[in-house]
Amino acid sequence: MNAPGKHTVAVAPHSVEGGDTGLNVLVFDSATPAPLPPVFLIHGFASSVELNWVKTGWVKALNDAGRHVIAVDLPGHGSSSSPYDLDSYTPGKIRADLLQVLVDQGVRPLVPGEPGSGVDVIGYSLGSRLAWEFGATQPELVRKMVLGGPNPQDPLADFDLAAAQNFLNDGTPIADESTAWLLNMAQLVPSNDIFALLSLIQAVKMEPFDPTDAVPRMPVLLVAGEHDERAATMDRLAGLCTGATMMVVAGRTHNNTVTSREFKAAALNFLG
């Protein structure tokens, strides 16, 4: 058994069609396991398991509630590999890799009457976009989802790659505020490989996000901060889901909603 709150010492490499995905997978056990599915955490752009879920208290809160936690650094993030080929970063490829991670961790399809079957998913920002599509395409596996900072329009789709490259090359100012904000956020983490993250953005642009293409049918909780522009638009996502629940966290922005105790409490209550 893994030590409570500690990740597995050696997680076997995860491969898809014989190729190593290069993903860093972390597993956190609870000292008092509850008869519920594991919780799978998907972090946001330019973040990591450590930044998005450990330092913010999510892993501790979930473990204290008896939940077994599986988390993964997305490609180009944290301790995962940082390839420069675009195929490694397309949302479809990432979702396939995430599915393989869950299969390797022993997650199996939902079975009526078996409370520990399936998996619950929590995503934040980019992780919410990936979770939305993952839940919609894996309804036999995903029991419930919590999506933080969700957006019906992917902000990476409008990222000005040329302006970012010019800024990195010679300091030319970036006119687009969203592009400047995202690039600055990526540069705040010393371990981030900026050029790998730019490859991810380019790959995301190749598969634009349209939430109407595939809609999750399981219960979904949508959460955004009061001062996050997504709070004004996530109702469009809620309108697509039967029985979706929305929550706005007072006084919070996109950057700090993830640290909210109110958010954690609502997620734990929703996931049951």
Side-chain angles (χ1 to χ4, degrees):
M1 176 183 294
N2 303 330
K6 300 294 184 181
H7 66 77
T8 305
V9 175
V11 176
H14 301 270
S15 61
V16 176
E17 295 183 353
D20 184 359
T21 64
L23 296 180
N24 178 46
V25 179
L26 302 173
V27 176
F28 304 87
D29 284 337
S30 172
T32 55
L36 290 167
V39 178
F40 189 41
L41 304 177
I42 310 176
H43 66 74
F45 174 73
S47 190
S48 65
V49 173
E50 180 70 15
L51 292 175
N52 208 145
W53 305 118
V54 176
K55 289 188 174 180
T56 58
W58 276 92
V59 168
K60 183 181 186 303
L62 288 163
N63 281 167
D64 287 349
R67 305 305 296 268
H68 177 73
V69 175
I70 304 168
V72 59
D73 286 328
L74 295 175
H77 296 75
S79 296
S80 289
S81 62
S82 298
Y84 293 137
D85 66 291
L86 297 182
D87 289 342
S88 295
Y89 296 104
T90 63
K93 172 62 163 58
I94 293 174
R95 292 196 307 273
D97 290 349
L98 297 182
L99 175 59
Q100 189 64 53
V101 166
L102 293 181
V103 171
D104 291 348
Q105 287 299 319
V107 175
R108 296 295 179 260
L110 292 161
V111 177
E114 293 188 14
S117 64
V119 67
D120 290 336
V121 179
I122 304 178
Y124 197 79
S125 197
L126 173 62
S128 285
R129 177 250 165 100
L130 294 171
W132 176 278
E133 294 172 318
F134 187 85
T137 56
Q138 303 295 330
E140 74 287 348
L141 196 68
V142 180
R143 187 185 73 127
K144 293 182 179 182
M145 293 201 300
V146 177
L147 308 183
N151 196 331
Q153 296 180 318
D154 193 335
L156 295 183
D158 295 325
F159 187 93
D160 191 335
L161 281 166
Q165 291 280 11
N166 289 337
F167 174 81
L168 293 171
N169 289 336
D170 56 25
T172 301
I174 300 174
D176 179 63
E177 290 185 6
S178 177
T179 298
W181 176 72
L182 286 167
L183 186 61
N184 177 69
M185 182 172 62
Q187 290 180 300
L188 289 175
V189 182
S191 61
N192 277 344
D193 185 327
I194 297 301
F195 294 102
L197 294 184
L198 292 181
S199 293
L200 180 145
I201 292 172
Q202 187 173 351
V204 167
K205 286 174 171 287
M206 293 164 56
E207 294 184 9
F209 179 47
D210 183 348
T212 65
D213 282 345
V215 178
R217 298 304 177 190
M218 66 287 300
V220 177
L221 172 64
L222 301 161
V223 182
E226 178 186 12
H227 302 303
D228 183 347
E229 63 181 14
R230 292 153 183 79
T233 58
M234 68 178 179
D235 61 327
R236 291 165 53 189
L237 293 174
L240 297 173
C241 300
T242 302
T245 304
M246 291 193 300
M247 172 184 176
V248 175
V249 185
R252 296 284 180 150
T253 66
H254 187 70
N255 282 350
N256 64 20
T257 296
V258 71
T259 67
S260 165
R261 292 181 181 178
E262 184 181 356
F263 182 10
K264 296 183 187 74
L268 288 168
N269 181 63
F270 176 78
L271 295 178

